[in-house]
Amino acid sequence: MAKFEAARGRKAWAARAVRFYSGGLERLAGRPSGNGDGARFADDAHPYADDLDLFGPGSLFELLTVCRTRTGEDTLAAWLLAPAGPGEVKARQEAVADLAPRLDLREAVAVAGAEAPAADYRPLMQWGGAPADAPPAWKWWAVEVLGWLNVFAWAGWLFAETTALPVLAFGLLSLALAAPLMSWAGRVLKPLDRAAENLSLFEAVLIRLEREPFSAARLKELQGSMRAGGLLPSEQIRQLRLLLDGYNARRNAFFIPVAVLRMWPVRFAFKLEAWRARSGPAVGQWLRAVGEFEALSSLAGHAYENPADVVPTVEAGPVRLAAVGVGHPLIPAAKCVRNDVTLGAGANRVLIVSGSNMSGKSTLLRAVGVNAVLALAGGVVRAKRFALTPVAVGATMRVQDSLQAGRSRFFAEVTKVRLLLDIAGRDGGPPLLFLLDELFAGTNSADRVAGAEGVTRALLALGAVGFVTTHDLSLTAVTDSIPGAVNHHFCDGLAGGELHFDYTMHPGVVPHGNGLALMRAVGLKV
């Protein structure tokens, strides 16, 4: 049986290793890795999460994550949803640079422990941080002594033909001692019913974190934060795992008589309560350290797999974004068309981007937005050079109506624009980087142009910078009256009855549209 279990463990280890490297190959080929899409983090009320495809199938989260714990996923999602300041970004960048070449470390974490995708240790953390709840210590010793006396009494009666009186006496004493403690033991043990299943993973990850010789200050801080009670966290988790394994031995049919005689649930409730008093409050700290390490490791793996991507410069100062050769990280590098973008407090405060259908306007906005999110999370970006000041990102690119909420698309868009104006106007917050795609397309042309111009003026007055894309060429005239507004466009060509796009942004207003050509290309008689 032992050889069988060892062989099964090696097979599971090999299967996880195959998945780890297969996932990397899938990402390099531009396909989802299947590590988890983070759909539970999707929030249509967030300023940019849905618009920039942060979560869900084929998302940025799915591209990045190698997290094996729920806390790691939570940490990575939180970094994508809320930009960090320059100091924090710098600390994460140094940690990512330290982790990126450590392929063996990332493999070891990926294959460690039991099979537990997105293992959830929050119940263990909550149990560990709860107040101590132990009866007097003398009852623990009484349980231990009476348990052994029960075993010896039964052994003597069954095998040495001694009197049954000790069996009866010790049994009654045990019942009187254990019965009042059963409800307390249930409170201690219930949160740990399934904890043992994933503890080998937690232990294995902690072992690697404790022993790895890091050079980045943030990684050293994570190592230092895990020390508690003079023992290594992995040793303390190992003790807990062995305790739970011992408690679960009661499920063995051959061991049940001994478990009953030794008052197994009460006995182990005392042992686990002692562990909680010694180590429980530190579990949350260990778990947060593991979660941050996993988030950093996800960003590091992305950097390792995309060596042409660059570390962005994030520095405080007047609002600015300057990107050379920026592309979308969810598009395979071989197919990705790059563009140069400059936004700032001077001449290019807002780019009015006109262009035909499918020419690349929305993709450019998403490329800038996703790379800004990556930069402010501490990751590398798909560009030759990328520099920006701290910004709050906001977008109106995937606004949807809602039948259940009785909300039209236009009303949803107006509500989203109101949110972006509120973000731009927050005292003490970073300037807004706005990405407005086909603003107010759900209303008539006159209202659309007037509304878009008014919103753009209001955002610029609040110190924001960004993009406005449009099909309506009348909107391009706002550059004559709005200081800092500049026209750019994407264009197309028709050859052999087929449309061709270069997906490259050019200065000025688009010279023509392609709507009729597209209609005719699919056979509409227009």
Side-chain angles (χ1 to χ4, degrees):
M1 178 61 73
K3 289 184 178 180
F4 172 76
E5 290 297 330
R8 187 168 68 171
R10 289 194 296 271
K11 180 181 177 182
W13 181 93
R16 288 193 293 273
V18 168
R19 282 201 302 273
F20 173 71
Y21 286 105
S22 296
L25 292 173
E26 290 293 303
R27 288 190 295 272
L28 290 176
R31 294 186 292 268
S33 65
N35 287 335
D37 60 20
R40 63 190 176 93
F41 300 109
D43 179 8
D44 61 4
H46 190 270
Y48 59 83
D50 281 357
D51 306 273
L52 300 182
D53 303 307
L54 293 195
F55 307 108
S59 64
L60 179 65
F61 186 89
E62 187 172 25
L63 176 72
L64 296 174
T65 183
V66 294
C67 300
R68 297 197 63 198
T69 72
R70 193 177 180 93
T71 305
E73 291 187 341
D74 291 345
T75 303
L76 179 60
W79 289 0
L80 297 177
L81 290 169
E88 177 64 18
V89 168
K90 183 67 174 176
R92 293 179 192 171
Q93 288 176 341
E94 292 173 352
V96 167
D98 191 357
L99 287 171
R102 298 176 189 263
L103 180 59
D104 289 344
L105 172 62
R106 293 197 302 280
E107 177 194 346
V109 172
V111 303
E115 184 62 40
D120 188 2
Y121 297 104
R122 290 176 302 174
L124 177 65
M125 181 178 69
Q126 293 165 358
W127 172 80
D133 182 24
W138 68 265
K139 292 188 177 183
W140 184 357
W141 292 110
V143 167
E144 290 288 338
V145 172
L146 277 174
W148 283 114
L149 290 175
N150 279 327
V151 171
F152 293 143
W154 275 89
W157 184 49
L158 291 174
F159 303 111
E161 299 182 357
T162 60
T163 175
L165 183 61
V167 170
L168 182 61
F170 294 143
L172 290 174
L173 284 173
S174 299
L175 181 62
L177 176 64
L181 294 173
M182 287 303 294
S183 61
W184 163 77
R187 291 196 305 273
V188 173
L189 297 170
K190 185 173 177 56
L192 301 172
D193 277 347
R194 304 186 64 86
E197 297 176 2
N198 297 331
L199 284 181
S200 61
L201 168 61
F202 197 11
E203 178 186 347
V205 174
L206 287 170
I207 288 173
R208 289 303 305 229
L209 285 180
E210 293 161 357
R211 298 177 180 176
E212 195 73 16
F214 295 122
S215 59
R218 173 55 56 84
L219 295 172
K220 290 181 177 180
E221 289 173 10
L222 292 178
Q223 282 182 322
S225 71
M226 294 190 301
R227 300 278 183 169
L231 290 175
L232 292 172
S234 61
E235 293 176 356
Q236 297 182 67
I237 292 297
R238 180 175 181 273
Q239 290 175 5
L240 178 61
R241 179 174 59 81
L242 293 176
L243 283 173
L244 289 174
D245 287 345
Y247 172 59
N248 290 330
R250 76 195 190 285
R251 295 170 179 164
N252 187 318
F254 295 101
F255 191 72
I256 287 176
V258 174
V260 171
L261 294 176
R262 296 201 62 194
M263 297 166 280
W264 216 242
V266 173
R267 179 173 182 263
F268 272 87
F270 274 110
K271 288 178 174 290
L272 289 165
E273 189 62 30
W275 186 95
R276 173 163 66 169
R278 181 182 69 254
S279 305
V283 171
Q285 188 171 316
W286 304 336
L287 192 54
R288 285 187 291 272
V290 167
E292 185 165 345
F293 165 76
E294 286 194 309
L296 290 168
S297 187
S298 295
L299 296 175
H302 178 65
Y304 178 81
E305 292 169 359
N306 297 275
D309 290 1
V310 300
V311 178
T313 301
V314 180
E315 296 178 346
V319 61
R320 174 175 176 265
L321 186 153
V324 176
V326 66
H328 201 303
L330 291 175
I331 299 175
K335 298 180 180 179
C336 186
V337 177
R338 312 296 190 98
N339 281 281
D340 298 345
V341 172
T342 301
L343 292 169
N348 291 354
R349 298 184 63 197
V350 57
L351 303 186
I352 308 297
V353 185
S354 54
S356 53
N357 299 287
M358 303 192 304
S359 59
K361 304 187 305 296
S362 300
T363 301
L364 173 67
L365 267 61
R366 287 194 173 95
V368 172
V370 167
N371 281 296
V373 168
L374 275 171
L376 295 171
V380 297
V381 296
R382 180 64 52 83
K384 295 179 180 178
R385 291 197 300 274
F386 197 94
L388 77 164
T389 54
V391 292
V393 180
T396 61
M397 306 185 67
R398 189 161 284 141
V399 181
Q400 301 291 334
D401 58 2
S402 173
L403 184 62
Q404 290 77 14
R407 183 182 65 190
S408 70
R409 184 194 183 283
F410 179 71
F411 182 76
E413 185 176 23
V414 170
T415 303
K416 186 68 170 291
V417 170
R418 177 70 266 174
L419 171 64
L420 301 191
L421 285 165
D422 290 342
I423 294 172
R426 286 176 184 168
D427 292 337
L432 178 71
L433 170 63
F434 59 87
L435 310 168
L436 307 182
D437 192 31
E438 299 296 338
L439 195 58
F440 302 140
T443 188
N444 63 76
S445 179
D447 287 352
R448 177 165 61 250
V449 173
E453 180 178 355
V455 167
T456 303
R457 288 183 181 276
L459 288 170
L460 295 181
L462 293 170
V465 297
F467 297 81
V468 178
T469 70
T470 183
H471 285 298
D472 193 333
L473 297 187
S474 58
L475 182 59
T476 61
V478 303
T479 58
D480 297 331
S481 58
I482 299 181
V486 181
N487 277 311
H488 284 74
H489 73 276
F490 286 80
C491 61
D492 59 84
L494 187 63
E498 294 184 357
L499 285 167
H500 299 273
F501 305 95
D502 64 6
Y503 305 113
T504 301
M505 189 168 64
H506 304 276
V509 180
V510 65
H512 59 81
N514 69 359
L516 288 176
L518 278 175
M519 296 178 205
R520 291 164 182 159
V522 298
L524 297 180
K525 304 298 184 182
V526 294

